[in-house]
């Protein structure tokens, strides 16, 4: 948006403030994001526990299906790899921010 200043001087460009991040627009947004992260960590723990239970059932011969146990273990492995990748990216981003001059 272009405006003429009150003194009749040259045309100046009006500078508008940038939009605020969603976490600042809604105070509870940060809490919701953190709650979502905790839910995903809880789900990761549940997947790991399920895989362990399936493996124990097969090992003890309590009617566990080997195929289901292997699938559960693979799902747990992939879930853990994804969580570690996300964690590594977050740590890397944090370290990069810490290296920035103020």
């Amino acid at each position: 948006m272009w405006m003429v200043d009150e003194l009749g001087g040259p045309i100046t460009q009006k500078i508008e403030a940038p939009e605020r991040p969603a976490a600042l627009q809604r105070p509870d947004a940060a809490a919701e994001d953190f709650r979502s992260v905790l839910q995903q960590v809880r789900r990761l723990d549940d997947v790991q526990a399920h895989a362990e239970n399936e493996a124990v059932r097969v090992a003890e011969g309590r009617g566990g299906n080997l195929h289901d146990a292997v699938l559960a273990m693979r799902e747990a492995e992939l879930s853990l790899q994804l969580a570690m990748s996300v964690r590594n990216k977050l740590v890397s981003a944090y370290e990069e921010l810490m290296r920035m001059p103020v």
Side-chain angles (χ1 to χ4, degrees):
M1 173 184 285
W2 294 91
M3 297 181 63
V4 177
D5 65 14
E6 292 91 28
L7 301 175
I11 297 177
T12 58
Q13 184 178 9
K14 181 178 179 182
I15 299 174
E16 297 180 13
E19 288 189 33
R20 295 173 61 186
L24 296 177
Q25 290 177 2
R26 294 187 351 236
D28 61 336
E32 290 174 14
D33 290 342
F34 188 68
R35 185 176 306 118
S36 173
V37 169
L38 290 179
Q39 288 172 347
Q40 293 301 319
V41 170
R42 190 174 304 121
R43 185 183 182 300
L44 175 65
D45 187 48
D46 292 343
V47 168
Q48 296 286 329
H50 174 70
E52 183 177 353
N53 289 339
E54 287 293 319
V56 168
R57 285 179 57 199
V58 169
E60 292 177 349
R62 290 186 292 147
N65 184 349
L66 180 61
H67 180 73
D68 291 340
V70 170
L71 285 177
M73 290 170 58
R74 183 66 178 147
E75 180 183 5
E77 179 184 356
L78 291 174
S79 297
L80 185 60
Q81 285 177 356
L82 175 64
M84 293 303 296
S85 293
V86 169
R87 175 201 142 319
N88 291 341
K89 287 285 186 182
L90 288 172
V91 169
S92 175
Y94 174 77
E95 288 173 346
E96 186 173 335
L97 284 173
M98 290 292 100
R99 284 192 299 266
M100 290 179 132
V102 178

